[in-house]
Amino acid sequence: MGNLIKVLTRDIDNNGGNFFLDFENAQPSQSETEVWEKVNQVLTEAQLILEDLQSYRGAGEEIRQAIQSPGVEKVQEKAWSAVVPLVVKLKTFYEFTQKLESSLLCLLDILTSSGSTPTQHLEQKQALARQFAHILHFTLRFDELKMTNPAIQNDFSYYRRTISRMRINNLPFYRTELSLSRCLTFSFLIDFNGNFLANRMSLFYASATPMLKTLSDVTTKFVSDNPDVPIENTTDCLSTMASVCKVMLDTPEYRSRFTSEETVLFCLRVMVGVIILYDHVHPAGAFVKTSNIDMKGCIRVLKEQPPSSVEGLLNALRYTTKHLNDETTSKQIKTMLQQN
């Protein structure tokens, strides 16, 4: 029956999400292969990024000892030696956003192009729609891991404080007793990239959901930079994807098609991701009564899952959407999203 199976049994909220998108097995056609391969390279790296982030432990103990013993050089050296490789890793995470942005723009350009409706694009370009979903899945997963690991901001804050102290004291790095390799690492981070990179990284990690904010900004910029593409092309693509996810999660006979329970969480993340993007791009947002997204239904589906698996997603709706607190948002939706 193909990777994309029509749901013919009922009308789902009149949202156009009346089909099943196979997120597990959709493969590219010959015409999609070139774009698919480029985006797939980024998604492969994205998996490594998540693995590195999941194993990120931080240098909390070394930093604590350095703060308690400010005059002990060996303690300071130990803390700095622990923090520098971690900051290099954080730099890798940050710079990966540029690759992710490029992939998202490429997929949006195809999935919102004129000539076919957004629904037709999702049906006919299933592999690319799947990759779009994987970008959203990565984004939500990255932010969940970052939000639950305070060591990331603590490490980077210590790093910046140490740099500032060296500059205030006019102490070139090479005068310290650290090894040559660490001197080179420091030089690369500061002299080659400049302090502007540190400032941008600081702003990035200060956000509760940095990847989601990045994708929201990119999607908004995509709309503004492409006035020849009707905004409805983008918002309808996003709302249709949200409806597709809701249908798959809410319909037992289609949910049973998933070969892994991980696909359930995948769909939940994708659904939340496209809702947030829609809310930032659509002038009236996702929560207004005339929205093409069944927000009450989507929130209900989220709340039917184990709380431990969806609390981060509910928080993303609460704190990273643009229009939730508008007067046009119904009290019922606001109540549904209130924390218990």
Side-chain angles (χ1 to χ4, degrees):
M1 296 177 67
N3 290 329
L4 199 60
I5 305 169
K6 287 285 186 180
V7 180
L8 300 176
T9 56
R10 56 177 177 158
D11 181 17
I12 307 295
D13 303 320
N14 296 315
N15 283 337
N18 57 341
F19 55 84
F20 181 93
L21 178 60
D22 189 349
F23 285 140
E24 295 179 328
N25 301 307
Q27 296 299 316
S29 64
Q30 186 174 357
S31 63
E32 298 170 316
T33 299
E34 183 178 354
V35 171
W36 185 91
E37 288 179 347
K38 290 179 180 178
V39 177
N40 190 57
Q41 290 180 354
V42 175
L43 291 174
T44 299
E45 185 177 350
Q47 185 58 41
L48 299 177
I49 294 287
L50 289 180
E51 291 173 4
D52 280 348
L53 181 57
Q54 194 160 11
S55 63
Y56 190 99
R57 295 294 176 263
E61 180 59 25
E62 291 87 349
I63 292 173
R64 185 185 65 80
Q65 293 180 7
I67 293 174
Q68 291 179 346
S69 306
V72 182
E73 188 65 27
K74 286 186 177 181
V75 174
Q76 302 302 312
E77 178 178 343
K78 183 179 179 181
W80 184 254
S81 299
V83 166
V84 165
L86 293 173
V87 171
V88 173
K89 187 174 292 188
L90 295 179
K91 174 176 170 287
T92 300
F93 297 166
Y94 170 75
E95 291 181 335
F96 177 72
T97 61
Q98 297 176 3
K99 300 178 184 179
L100 202 68
E101 290 175 16
S102 178
S103 294
L104 177 64
L105 289 172
C106 183
L107 293 176
L108 284 175
D109 189 55
I110 295 172
L111 296 175
T112 65
S113 61
S114 300
S116 298
T117 67
T119 297
Q120 290 171 335
H121 279 309
L122 293 176
E123 288 189 280
Q124 298 166 6
K125 300 177 176 65
Q126 301 167 31
L128 300 186
R130 181 186 178 194
Q131 287 187 317
F132 178 49
H134 273 284
I135 288 177
L136 292 166
H137 176 267
F138 163 81
T139 297
L140 272 293
R141 182 59 180 150
F142 181 97
D143 287 347
E144 286 174 4
L145 291 171
K146 183 266 177 185
M147 192 181 299
T148 56
N149 193 343
I152 291 174
Q153 283 184 266
N154 293 339
D155 293 345
F156 196 66
S157 294
Y158 177 80
Y159 168 78
R160 297 202 71 190
R161 290 198 306 271
T162 303
I163 293 173
S164 179
R165 186 168 64 250
M166 288 179 176
R167 288 177 172 169
I168 290 174
N169 295 332
N170 196 27
L171 177 63
F173 183 76
Y174 61 80
R175 292 182 186 173
T176 67
E177 297 179 4
L178 299 181
S179 67
L180 176 61
S181 63
R182 304 206 190 284
C183 284
L184 293 175
T185 300
F186 180 90
S187 178
F188 171 77
L189 287 170
I190 303 305
D191 297 335
F192 181 78
N193 290 290
N195 194 47
F196 290 115
L197 175 60
N199 289 339
R200 294 196 299 270
M201 287 176 61
S202 183
L203 289 173
F204 176 77
Y205 287 112
S207 172
T209 53
M211 283 293 178
L212 197 52
K213 183 180 185 304
T214 298
L215 258 62
S216 295
D217 291 345
V218 170
T219 305
T220 302
K221 190 173 187 298
F222 170 81
V223 171
S224 62
D225 288 350
N226 293 275
D228 55 319
V229 178
I231 187 173
E232 292 81 9
N233 287 20
T234 302
T235 56
D236 287 353
C237 176
L238 299 175
S239 63
T240 300
M241 184 74 85
S243 297
V244 166
C245 291
K246 175 182 170 295
V247 168
M248 293 193 291
L249 291 162
D250 210 21
T251 310
E253 59 266 38
Y254 297 109
R255 183 163 172 165
S256 66
R257 294 180 185 272
F258 301 151
T259 61
S260 169
E261 278 299 310
E262 279 298 310
T263 309
V264 173
L265 189 53
F266 179 91
C267 284
L268 290 167
R269 289 197 183 106
V270 173
M271 182 178 72
V272 170
V274 290
I275 287 171
I276 293 171
L277 291 184
Y278 182 98
D279 193 54
H280 280 262
V281 173
H282 195 284
F287 300 97
V288 69
K289 186 175 295 185
T290 55
S291 168
N292 287 332
I293 298 178
D294 174 21
M295 284 305 307
K296 294 177 184 177
C298 291
I299 296 169
R300 175 183 53 77
V301 168
L302 281 168
K303 292 205 161 188
E304 288 173 351
Q305 314 306 316
S308 60
S309 66
V310 297
E311 188 59 29
L313 299 179
L314 288 168
N315 282 336
L317 289 178
R318 291 170 183 135
Y319 304 122
T320 66
T321 47
K322 185 177 181 181
H323 295 280
L324 174 61
N325 295 318
D326 288 1
E327 293 182 359
T328 53
T329 301
S330 71
K331 291 183 179 179
Q332 184 178 359
I333 289 179
K334 291 181 179 179
T335 300
M336 291 177 73
L337 282 176
Q338 284 180 349
Q339 288 183 304
N340 296 329

